[in-house]
Amino acid sequence: VYWSCLAQCLYLQSRYKSDDPRLLKQALDYMKVALSLKPKDHLLWNALGVIAAIQVMNDGSIVVASLSRFRFE
């Protein structure tokens, strides 16, 4: 999934630029796209949690809102 690769690159760039919130927001958006394509991929969910856990983001509702969009069987 290329979207997750883009998200991870932006996440790493933001970490080197003192947690730039614009890059983190874009990384989060890309990770959400990746999850919409592969909602059962546990590695993507883990990566979403890593991005959302950054102190600049500090919004647990991001993960909860993402979880509510998917139905697991």
Side-chain angles (χ1 to χ4, degrees), residues 3 9 13 16 25 27 29-30 36 39 43 51 59 67 69:
W3 290 103
C9 288
Q13 285 181 357
Y16 286 112
K25 170 82 171 92
D29 291 342
Y30 287 164
S36 70
L43 296 175
I51 295 169
D59 188 5
L67 278 171
R69 292 182 46 212

Side-chain angles (χ1 to χ4, degrees), residues 52-71:
I54 298 299
Q55 206 167 28
V56 173
M57 300 301 278
N58 201 14
D59 188 5
S61 64
I62 292 169
V63 176
V64 172
S66 295
L67 278 171
S68 66
R69 292 182 46 212
F70 299 106
R71 290 178 15 157

Side-chain angles (χ1 to χ4, degrees), residues 1-67:
V1 176
Y2 296 111
W3 290 103
S4 64
C5 293
L6 286 171
Q8 291 171 9
C9 288
L10 287 171
Y11 167 76
L12 290 173
Q13 285 181 357
S14 74
R15 298 300 292 177
Y16 286 112
K17 292 186 176 188
S18 301
D19 295 332
D20 184 351
R22 292 173 297 150
L23 291 175
L24 284 171
K25 170 82 171 92
Q26 195 169 17
L28 191 67
D29 291 342
Y30 287 164
M31 192 56 69
K32 287 179 182 179
V33 172
L35 276 166
S36 70
L37 297 173
K38 290 180 77 176
K40 294 185 179 185
D41 188 332
H42 66 281
L43 296 175
L44 296 179
W45 284 104
N46 188 45
L48 177 71
V50 168
I51 295 169
I54 298 299
Q55 206 167 28
V56 173
M57 300 301 278
N58 201 14
D59 188 5
S61 64
I62 292 169
V63 176
V64 172
S66 295
L67 278 171

